[in-house]
Amino acid sequence: NRGKKYLTLQILEEAVTQGEAILAEVRDRKKRIKQIWKLLLTYADEPSKGLHISEFRDVPLRVWCKPAAEGDADGPLPCDDG
């Protein structure tokens, strides 16, 4: 996906479902990924194309935390159990 100018749903899904990521293992992963995607698209000037790389900084860090935590290929932290 190097060289791409837009983050698309497909690229997001590939990124957050690798390894032991929470989003790789839960039953409702498609729904959860789409919820994250819809939230990210609220910061896009052209949502039909996705989120342009120049718009990444417009997305607050608190929004990036959800895909970062649930999409971490190393899986959840021990403190996340339960």
Side-chain angles (χ1 to χ4, degrees):
N1 294 320
R2 294 193 190 283
K4 301 285 185 185
K5 301 238 184 246
Y6 287 89
L7 175 66
T8 63
L9 177 58
Q10 179 183 353
I11 293 170
L12 176 67
E13 189 170 353
E14 288 172 9
V16 298
T17 57
Q18 296 182 21
E20 296 178 28
I22 294 169
L23 290 172
E25 299 177 358
V26 293
R27 250 192 328 233
D28 64 341
R29 71 179 157 271
K30 294 271 187 194
K31 178 183 172 189
R32 290 167 76 167
I33 293 168
K34 283 194 178 186
Q35 287 174 335
I36 293 168
W37 178 242
K38 286 180 183 179
L39 179 58
L40 290 172
L41 284 183
T42 63
Y43 298 94
D45 286 338
E46 295 183 67
S48 62
K49 290 184 176 183
L51 188 68
H52 190 269
I53 57 172
S54 67
E55 299 167 328
F56 283 19
R57 287 183 175 222
D58 297 337
V59 180
L61 288 177
R62 63 180 160 70
V63 173
W64 287 118
C65 287
K66 188 157 184 77
E70 295 187 13
D72 188 341
D74 290 334
L77 297 170
C79 63
D80 292 335
D81 189 30

